[in-house]
Amino acid sequence: MSIYSIASQHINIELDAGDLDESWGKFFAIPNDSQNEFEQVLFKCSTILIENINRDFGYIRVGSCGNVFMSYEKTMLVNDSYSLAYIQKANKKIYNTFLNLLFYTHVIQKQILQLHCSIIEFMGKGVIFLGASGVGKTTQAECWAKYQGAMIINGDIGLVQKTDQGFVAWGTPWHGSSPYCENTSVPVKALVVLKQAPENSIRELTGFEKVTAVSNSVFYPQWLENGMELCLETLDHLLSALPVYELSCRPDEEAVQLTEEAVFGRG
């Protein structure tokens, strides 16, 4: 069993390291002398053992499980509290999908939202880029890295957590086709919704327009009875606390300068 730390939450996973995407290595937690740090176990994951009766028939003993999930003809069985899961032997992509579902089930109850986004750290603050698939979230983050030396924390999936000090963005092991994946966090300065355009312009969103622009990038755990309610509550706090901008842009240095001036008050 290996222990991983994501968004300050510790999980135990009963899978060989080779079964997981290499990004998980960045989230590996080394126990210290005091095991108290790892008393919180969100879920355990193990391979389903199929016993063959004959060539055509086999059976599975998995104990008491209340939920069944399928992905690419593979199955995950989960108990009612989402504290124990059995995953049919699968590939790295399917393991990532199942583990993301399990992890999000727990953290949404801790006021942590999962967003389809890219995250950068600049001057000790985080900027989250949102938008439809293919709009250029990772490309815009790369422009910030190129022209301003910003660090790209994640290029596809990030977590945003409500804390007493404000909202914090976390990197995750899930990053889609983007290569960027850092195990770190940053206090969030602003959210920027991207649109492709022939000319660069930026404006701050308000009201219903602000809600719509951001809510489209939220992952909603529809398998939870109160999942939508939990998301909307945290989203309401997020939008009340942070500015949201719409950046119509090209992937160039001018777009970075416009955003920096709007978000940080400097050009």
Side-chain angles (χ1 to χ4, degrees):
M1 179 185 295
S2 298
I3 300 174
Y4 297 86
S5 179
I6 307 171
S8 78
Q9 309 297 314
H10 294 104
I11 61 174
N12 291 352
I13 300 178
E14 293 180 349
L15 290 174
D16 294 333
D19 288 327
L20 298 175
D21 184 272
E22 57 271 12
S23 301
W24 281 82
K26 295 184 178 181
F27 295 80
F28 184 75
I30 300 175
N32 55 24
D33 293 336
S34 171
Q35 294 297 317
N36 292 335
E37 182 182 356
F38 300 101
E39 285 181 354
Q40 182 183 24
V41 178
L42 296 185
F43 59 85
K44 297 179 181 179
C45 219
S46 62
T47 300
I48 287 178
L49 298 177
I50 303 175
E51 297 187 33
N52 291 321
I53 300 300
N54 54 42
R55 184 181 61 183
D56 302 315
F57 180 74
Y59 71 97
I60 306 168
R61 288 193 179 126
V62 295
S64 176
C65 283
N67 302 278
V68 179
F69 296 90
M70 300 291 295
S71 179
Y72 296 97
E73 298 183 348
K74 296 297 182 179
T75 303
M76 177 175 67
L77 306 178
V78 186
N79 64 355
D80 288 332
S81 63
Y82 287 85
S83 61
L84 179 64
Y86 296 89
I87 300 178
Q88 186 178 358
K89 187 66 177 176
N91 58 33
K92 294 178 181 180
K93 180 177 180 179
I94 295 173
Y95 281 135
N96 262 348
T97 299
F98 282 147
L99 291 173
N100 178 256
L101 180 153
L102 280 169
F103 184 76
Y104 194 31
T105 299
H106 289 276
V107 299
I108 187 57
Q109 301 176 70
K110 302 176 183 290
Q111 295 187 299
I112 300 179
L113 280 179
Q114 181 172 292
L115 301 175
H116 185 205
C117 67
S118 64
I119 304 169
I120 63 163
E121 183 274 325
F122 176 67
M123 296 179 59
K125 299 293 183 180
V127 178
I128 299 175
F129 295 106
L130 309 169
S133 296
V135 75
K137 294 182 292 295
T138 300
T139 301
Q140 196 61 219
E142 288 173 336
C143 286
W144 275 78
K146 177 179 179 180
Y147 297 116
Q148 293 292 4
M151 178 176 68
I152 303 175
I153 294 177
N154 197 289
D156 189 64
I157 293 179
L159 299 173
V160 182
Q161 180 180 22
K162 184 179 184 295
T163 71
D164 293 338
Q165 292 73 42
F167 278 87
V168 175
W170 292 88
T172 76
W174 303 284
H175 53 95
S177 60
S178 163
Y180 304 105
C181 168
E182 298 297 332
N183 184 9
T184 188
S185 64
V186 63
V188 182
K189 180 75 171 178
L191 295 89
V192 179
V193 181
L194 299 177
K195 288 189 174 182
Q196 294 178 345
E199 300 295 333
N200 294 315
S201 64
I202 191 169
R203 66 187 183 96
E204 186 170 356
L205 300 179
T206 60
F208 185 72
E209 192 176 29
K210 178 180 182 179
V211 175
T212 301
V214 176
S215 62
N216 289 334
S217 296
V218 175
F219 290 89
Y220 297 97
Q222 299 179 22
W223 57 91
L224 278 179
E225 183 177 352
N226 62 338
M228 181 69 73
E229 178 183 342
L230 290 169
C231 282
L232 293 178
E233 180 180 354
T234 302
L235 178 62
D236 180 62
H237 291 300
L238 175 69
L239 297 180
S240 298
L242 294 171
V244 178
Y245 299 89
E246 179 186 86
L247 176 63
S248 301
C249 64
R250 305 183 302 263
D252 58 18
E253 185 174 8
E254 183 188 50
V256 174
Q257 292 173 343
L258 277 175
T259 307
E260 183 181 356
E261 182 176 0
V263 174
F264 294 91
R266 46 177 277 178

